[in-house]
Amino acid sequence: ASEEVEPGTGWYYTDWLTIPCAASYLWFYNMDGSTFAPALLIDRATKPYTANRQENSPIYSVASQEALEESLDTRLLDVSLVSLDIKAEMDSVNADKVKVTVSGERALEHFTVNEPRINVMLYENNIKPQYQAGANASFKHQHVAREVNSTWGATLTWDGDTYTYSCELDVADNFVRDNLGIIAFIWDYNEQDPSKCDVANSAGIHYSDFTINSSAGISSRDTAVEATPVDYYNASGVKVSSRRRGLNIIRMADGSIRKQIIR
C-alpha cells in the first residue's frame, strides 16, 4: 500500500518495516520541491558532504561506494564538541520495554545554533525480507529503526556542561533480542530549514551491552567480555571478512562500535 504525504514531498511507499515518524523525515529529502531516491544523509549536514553540493539540502546522492567513503572520511575529520555515553536496561530478557540513559558533556556551550536535541532509536539487524527487489537469497535488512523516543527528539537539560537524558522504548515480542541495538544522536534542530539540522555527535551500543535485571539482582551481560573485534563492516554497512582500505566499522565483543580509517 502507499500513502500520500504533504504536498511538495513526493510519493513514497510504506511497507511492513515503516514506523510512524518515517513520513515526517521526508522533510529532509526535499530539495527545491524535488524528491528522489535512493539518497541518504551524512549527519544531516550539507556541503562538502553532499554530492549535489547544494547548501539548501542535506541529501546525498550515492554515486559510488568510493565517493561515499570519501565523504564519510571527510566528515570524520570534524571535531565533536559533545559526548554520548549510552546505558540500556531491561527488567528481563522478555521485557516489553528498555530504559535508555544517555549522559555526556559539552566542550563548548553553544556547539549548536539552536537548543540541541537528542534522539534515541531502537534498531534491529538481520531481518529477513518479505520481498526485496534485486536482492539474493541471503539478503537481510540491517539497521532497521524500530522505535524512537520522539520524531524530532527532546531538548537537553544541562547541569553546567553535563547532561543526563532518560527514556523508555517499546520492545515488541517479535523483535529478536540478540539483533537489537541503541543509537543516540545530538543535533541542531531548525524547524524551518532542513539544511540547518546537523548532527553534532552520535553513539551506539549492541544488545550484548544491555543490562538485564534478574531476581538475583542487576547483572551486566558483558562485564567479563574482552573488547576484541567480532565483526567488520564497510562504509555501506556491508559485513566484510576483515579490515579494508577506507572506513571500517568494527563491532567489538563488548558490544561497542568503533570506526577506523585505513589509508
Side-chain angles (χ1 to χ4, degrees), residues 22-88:
S24 299
Y25 294 149
L26 290 177
W27 180 64
F28 288 111
Y29 285 79
N30 184 279
M31 185 172 64
D32 293 335
S34 175
T35 346
F36 60 90
L40 54 82
L41 312 175
I42 299 178
D43 283 345
R44 296 176 177 169
T46 54
K47 68 177 189 180
Y49 313 110
T50 56
N52 53 57
R53 297 297 191 265
Q54 298 294 317
E55 294 183 347
N56 62 337
S57 174
I59 57 175
Y60 183 95
S61 177
V62 185
S64 66
Q65 178 176 328
E66 290 74 18
L68 175 58
E69 290 177 351
E70 181 182 356
S71 294
L72 289 170
D73 289 347
T74 301
R75 182 61 174 174
L76 287 170
L77 295 176
D78 289 351
V79 177
S80 298
L81 298 177
V82 64
S83 63
L84 300 92
D85 178 53
I86 305 173
K87 299 185 185 305

Side-chain angles (χ1 to χ4, degrees), residues 119-149:
N119 268 109
V120 181
M121 288 188 175
L122 176 71
Y123 72 87
E124 184 176 355
N125 285 332
N126 300 320
I127 299 176
K128 294 181 179 180
Q130 293 184 356
Y131 173 76
Q132 184 67 33
N136 58 35
S138 63
F139 176 84
K140 293 181 180 179
H141 293 284
Q142 306 292 339
H143 312 128
V144 176
R146 287 301 204 177
E147 294 289 335
V148 61
N149 63 329

Side-chain angles (χ1 to χ4, degrees), residues 110-171:
H110 300 293
F111 65 92
T112 56
V113 176
N114 303 290
E115 286 294 317
R117 297 202 178 193
I118 184 168
N119 268 109
V120 181
M121 288 188 175
L122 176 71
Y123 72 87
E124 184 176 355
N125 285 332
N126 300 320
I127 299 176
K128 294 181 179 180
Q130 293 184 356
Y131 173 76
Q132 184 67 33
N136 58 35
S138 63
F139 176 84
K140 293 181 180 179
H141 293 284
Q142 306 292 339
H143 312 128
V144 176
R146 287 301 204 177
E147 294 289 335
V148 61
N149 63 329
S150 169
T151 298
W152 302 113
T155 302
L156 286 173
T157 300
W158 296 92
D159 181 8
D161 287 327
T162 66
Y163 72 91
T164 300
Y165 172 79
S166 296
C167 66
E168 285 190 337
L169 301 176
D170 293 332
V171 182

